[in-house]
Amino acid sequence: MKRGLAIAAALLATGFGGAMAAAPGASSADKALDRHVPPGWRLLSSVSGDLDGDGREDAALVLETTDAARRRDNPGLGAPVLNLNPRRLLVLLQVGPDERVLLRRDGLLPSEHDAESPCVADPLDGGGVEMPPGRLVLALQHWTSCGSYGAGREQFIFRLEGARLRLIGHERREFSRASGEQTEISTNLLTGQRKTVEGLDAFERRGVARTRWQRLGPQAPVFLDTLDRAQLACEASAPSPVWCR
């Protein structure tokens, strides 16, 4: 019983097991963004902030198609119904009469479920898109209900450079639900440095953390408009992205 409580506390502390914010009814802010939701799509989530530092509201939206044919019964392990509807990422500058679309990406964000790995939870659950001042953050969780005790959460951090969003940092946290062992990796793509902290314990038992620094060298710029899902999931062919190594 105590171990079960410890696991639950660890999941909350590490940001796993949460649910992507979605109110039953649309908020007034969501209603104002309805014009960006085409027929056959729905608004999953939206965030706002000041991305370009001009003091005006910017926004990022996650949309999903509503095709019933892309919802499939799953008789095995995992969710009873797999939602394979594709998603769209939309970034807006200066929300309102003068707004402009900075980015529209289809095929980048993963769907709620994966037909080949039905036990994998929605990568955007407990994460999704965030917009702290001057940044756009894409947060993904890695969680499975069967086949693995491993879990993880990573953040891709972008900033506006001209008319493009450049990847400037990557944060990854890996956690074992069995042992509580946890590793945190932070990569600065501007300085070419990586910090790795090993020996952490998500169950808050005594452990000895070990910090290691690594110089990666100059990195070619990576932009959100050309980043693809294979790179995002570390499935890209060589050379693999630096955050996968």
Side-chain angles (χ1 to χ4, degrees):
M1 178 67 176
K2 289 183 179 180
R3 184 170 180 79
L5 291 174
I7 292 175
L11 299 184
L12 290 173
T14 53
F16 304 127
M20 184 166 58
S27 67
S28 58
D30 287 346
K31 290 178 180 178
L33 297 171
D34 280 348
R35 61 186 177 280
H36 296 288
V37 183
W41 291 74
R42 68 180 180 125
L43 178 62
L44 276 186
S45 64
S46 65
V47 294
S48 61
D50 188 1
L51 187 58
D52 55 1
D54 66 353
R56 301 181 62 178
E57 182 184 28
D58 308 312
L61 290 65
V62 177
L63 309 178
E64 181 182 79
T65 60
T66 57
D67 186 355
R70 292 181 178 269
R71 301 183 68 90
R72 303 176 185 174
D73 291 335
N74 174 36
L77 296 174
V81 177
L82 301 181
N83 176 18
L84 306 177
N85 276 283
R87 289 168 168 174
R88 170 179 294 170
L89 174 62
L90 187 65
V91 181
L92 307 172
L93 292 182
Q94 301 176 0
V95 174
D98 300 324
E99 74 185 16
R100 64 185 178 93
V101 176
L102 176 68
L103 178 84
R104 180 185 286 109
R105 286 295 312 270
D106 292 341
L108 175 66
L109 299 179
S111 59
E112 180 179 359
H113 298 117
D114 186 329
E116 296 183 359
S117 303
C119 289
V120 174
D122 185 353
L124 298 191
D125 193 9
V129 181
E130 305 165 6
M131 193 178 287
R135 301 288 185 266
L136 181 75
V137 179
L138 178 58
L140 303 176
Q141 75 156 351
H142 305 284
W143 175 273
T144 179
S145 60
C146 63
S148 173
Y149 284 110
R153 177 179 170 86
E154 60 183 330
Q155 293 184 322
F156 296 82
I157 305 166
F158 301 85
R159 77 176 181 193
L160 192 62
E161 289 195 0
R164 305 178 74 188
L165 287 163
R166 180 179 177 179
L167 181 64
I168 63 170
H170 178 262
E171 308 282 340
R172 183 167 80 244
R173 181 184 300 151
E174 301 169 348
F175 163 61
S176 170
R177 290 176 282 170
S179 67
E181 183 178 357
Q182 183 171 300
T183 299
E184 297 179 352
I185 304 170
S186 177
T187 304
N188 186 323
L189 278 81
L190 297 178
T191 64
Q193 289 187 315
R194 170 178 289 159
K195 178 184 178 182
T196 302
V197 182
E198 301 173 303
L200 298 171
D201 194 321
F203 296 150
E204 298 183 351
R205 299 172 301 202
R206 296 187 65 180
V208 179
R210 302 177 301 279
T211 300
R212 174 167 49 91
W213 288 89
Q214 180 182 4
R215 183 171 293 279
L216 304 174
Q219 301 296 315
V222 177
F223 295 94
L224 185 54
D225 55 289
T226 55
L227 186 67
D228 63 40
R229 189 185 298 180
Q231 292 175 311
L232 205 64
C234 291
E235 297 172 353
S237 58
S240 62
V242 65
W243 54 87
C244 301
R245 304 172 199 164

